[in-house]
Amino acid sequence: MPQAKAGLKPYQGWWQHWLSRRLPAQSPITLAHKSIFILPSAFGLCWLGVVVLLFLFGTNYQNNLVIGLALLLLSIFNTCIIYSYRNLAGLTLNAAQGPAVYAGEDVLYPVELTAKQAQHQIQLRYGNNAPLSAARVDDKKQRLLLPFTNQGRGWIHPGRLTVETHYPLGLCRAWSVVDLANRQLVFAAPKAVMTPLSQQAAHAHEQAHLKGSLAAGVEEFNTLKPYVCGESPNQIAWKQLAQGRGMLTKSFGEPVSAPTWLILNAQHPDIEQHLSELTWTVDTLWQTQQVFGLQLPMLTIAPNSGAAHRLQCLTALAVYPEVPNVVSSGSPPVMFHTKEPSQTQANAATPEKPTSSQEQHNG
């Protein structure tokens, strides 16, 4: 069996190369004659076998009725070829942004379907994953969340999407394999850290639970919260109100003490375990609304808080050792460097230089 698979590899490589030229990656894409393939199904092959037997029986015994039945069955098969093609032609597929997931969870890839004419019994799947069916597709946009089994982190590309139908009688299988270029970011799987968080010891007399937390203030934007009657009109989020998101007010805060620093040790014996622990720590600090920063060998993210800061930190951990080349708008400042920051640079950002998370982990 392994030898048979090895013998098929050259043909699979040729097939993928031919597909990449005939159906290049794009989104959205509308299926047409160039991207639709049709072959008889197992039931269709049996149907054709019956047609051949009836034709031989009719000609051998000179029975026109049997010959007519064979020709009728053959015409039905030919009609199914046309209807199977028509059931996919004009189908438009568009990839959308999926929900954030962690490594080990099924990645959900949203695919939006539309068609100018009604189409029925459309199945979609990625590789050997479970297929999803759309009973009817028309000009109203329909979204399916296609599962994809994955164990890794970083940018995950599911490969080509198989779109198929056996409509109307199951005699033919019409299908297409399209690449929607819809890679999705998967965060490292969070694992709880049994040791204290890696943080900067700035003021020894301060209480540990106040480390990096936010108090009510007017310096930094913190989050949006539901409007309470009597609050100042200056704090109302007018932009969100105009977008139809309801009455919200802006909450501001200021750090109680020095921020928490999370540092990735590139010499850690189990780097994946280390990344998982840092991912868990980022989520924990975000849930408690603490100010924290992240330092990687080639990237330093300045201390901040909020959902955008969490997303930026998790993205940097997910794509490590690569450096993310996309920084979302409104995110905290990012500093790129090729060596450890000097004491002067560290003091400019924070009161003291961050400590190593590996030393805390071993402690």
Side-chain angles (χ1 to χ4, degrees), residues 83-84 86-88 91 113 115 117-124 131-138 142 144 162-175:
Y83 273 87
S84 295
R86 179 184 176 275
N87 199 49
L88 283 186
L91 178 66
L113 307 176
Q117 59 186 10
Q119 298 176 340
H120 309 273
Q121 301 174 11
I122 307 295
Q123 285 191 344
L124 300 92
L132 288 183
S133 299
R136 177 186 171 89
V137 180
D138 49 25
Q142 183 176 162
L144 297 180
T162 301
V163 187
E164 63 180 354
T165 180
H166 292 81
Y167 182 85
L169 299 179
L171 296 178
C172 299
R173 176 180 179 257
W175 82 97

Side-chain angles (χ1 to χ4, degrees), residues 26 30 38 58 74 88-89 100 156 165 178-179 200 212 227 245 277 297 348 361 363:
Q26 61 176 323
T30 300
I38 304 177
L74 184 61
L88 283 186
I156 304 300
T165 180
V178 296
D179 188 349
Q200 174 186 342
Y227 173 77
R245 296 172 57 182
E277 292 176 353
H361 183 75

Side-chain angles (χ1 to χ4, degrees), residues 102 187-198 262 273-287 310 314 317:
Y102 297 96
F187 302 140
K191 293 183 180 179
V193 184
M194 295 295 101
T195 58
L197 300 178
S198 172
L262 306 178
Q273 173 76 16
H274 195 30
L275 290 171
S276 296
E277 292 176 353
L278 287 175
T279 298
W280 177 85
T281 305
V282 168
D283 283 339
T284 302
L285 294 176
W286 170 69
Q287 291 172 1
R310 166 185 174 267
L314 292 182
L317 294 173

Side-chain angles (χ1 to χ4, degrees), residues 83-353:
Y83 273 87
S84 295
Y85 166 79
R86 179 184 176 275
N87 199 49
L88 283 186
L91 178 66
T92 300
L93 302 100
N94 186 29
Q97 182 63 37
V101 297
Y102 297 96
E105 301 176 349
D106 285 348
V107 185
L108 298 178
Y109 289 91
V111 177
E112 298 174 346
L113 307 176
T114 54
K116 294 182 179 179
Q117 59 186 10
Q119 298 176 340
H120 309 273
Q121 301 174 11
I122 307 295
Q123 285 191 344
L124 300 92
R125 60 180 171 85
Y126 278 114
N128 296 324
N129 294 273
L132 288 183
S133 299
R136 177 186 171 89
V137 180
D138 49 25
D139 56 350
K140 296 181 180 179
K141 185 180 297 184
Q142 183 176 162
R143 172 176 290 196
L144 297 180
L145 292 176
L146 302 178
F148 182 80
T149 303
N150 170 68
Q151 299 297 327
R153 60 177 175 85
W155 289 107
I156 304 300
H157 189 280
R160 290 189 172 269
L161 173 66
T162 301
V163 187
E164 63 180 354
T165 180
H166 292 81
Y167 182 85
L169 299 179
L171 296 178
C172 299
R173 176 180 179 257
W175 82 97
S176 182
V177 279
V178 296
D179 188 349
L180 298 179
N182 55 340
R183 67 174 188 168
Q184 186 167 318
L185 184 64
V186 177
F187 302 140
K191 293 183 180 179
V193 184
M194 295 295 101
T195 58
L197 300 178
S198 172
Q199 59 184 8
Q200 174 186 342
H203 304 286
H205 64 278
E206 292 180 346
Q207 297 181 2
H209 70 277
L210 295 178
K211 193 70 175 175
S213 58
L214 285 175
V218 295
E219 292 186 0
E220 296 186 18
F221 172 74
N222 184 19
T223 185
L224 295 174
K225 62 180 181 179
Y227 173 77
V228 178
C229 184
E231 289 185 316
S232 172
N234 296 330
Q235 294 182 329
I236 297 178
W238 298 107
K239 181 178 179 180
Q240 284 72 15
L241 179 62
Q243 294 174 349
R245 296 172 57 182
M247 290 286 288
L248 300 172
T249 57
K250 299 179 181 179
S251 174
F252 295 86
E254 56 187 11
V256 174
S257 62
T260 299
W261 273 101
L262 306 178
I263 306 177
L264 175 68
N265 182 9
Q267 305 302 323
H268 195 283
D270 189 348
I271 194 66
E272 293 300 328
Q273 173 76 16
H274 195 30
L275 290 171
S276 296
E277 292 176 353
L278 287 175
T279 298
W280 177 85
T281 305
V282 168
D283 283 339
T284 302
L285 294 176
W286 170 69
Q287 291 172 1
T288 56
Q289 299 183 355
Q290 295 192 45
V291 177
F292 63 94
L294 177 65
Q295 181 177 315
L296 304 180
M298 296 294 293
L299 172 69
T300 298
I301 301 179
N304 208 321
S305 63
H309 181 60
R310 166 185 174 267
L311 178 61
Q312 190 175 15
C313 292
L314 292 182
T315 300
L317 294 173
V319 301
Y320 180 83
E322 298 179 2
V323 177
N325 55 4
V326 177
V327 179
S328 58
S329 60
S331 57
V334 180
M335 299 175 289
F336 296 89
H337 58 82
T338 56
K339 60 182 180 179
E340 290 293 321
S342 64
Q343 184 66 32
T344 304
Q345 293 172 330
N347 290 337
T350 55
E352 293 185 19
K353 184 178 180 179

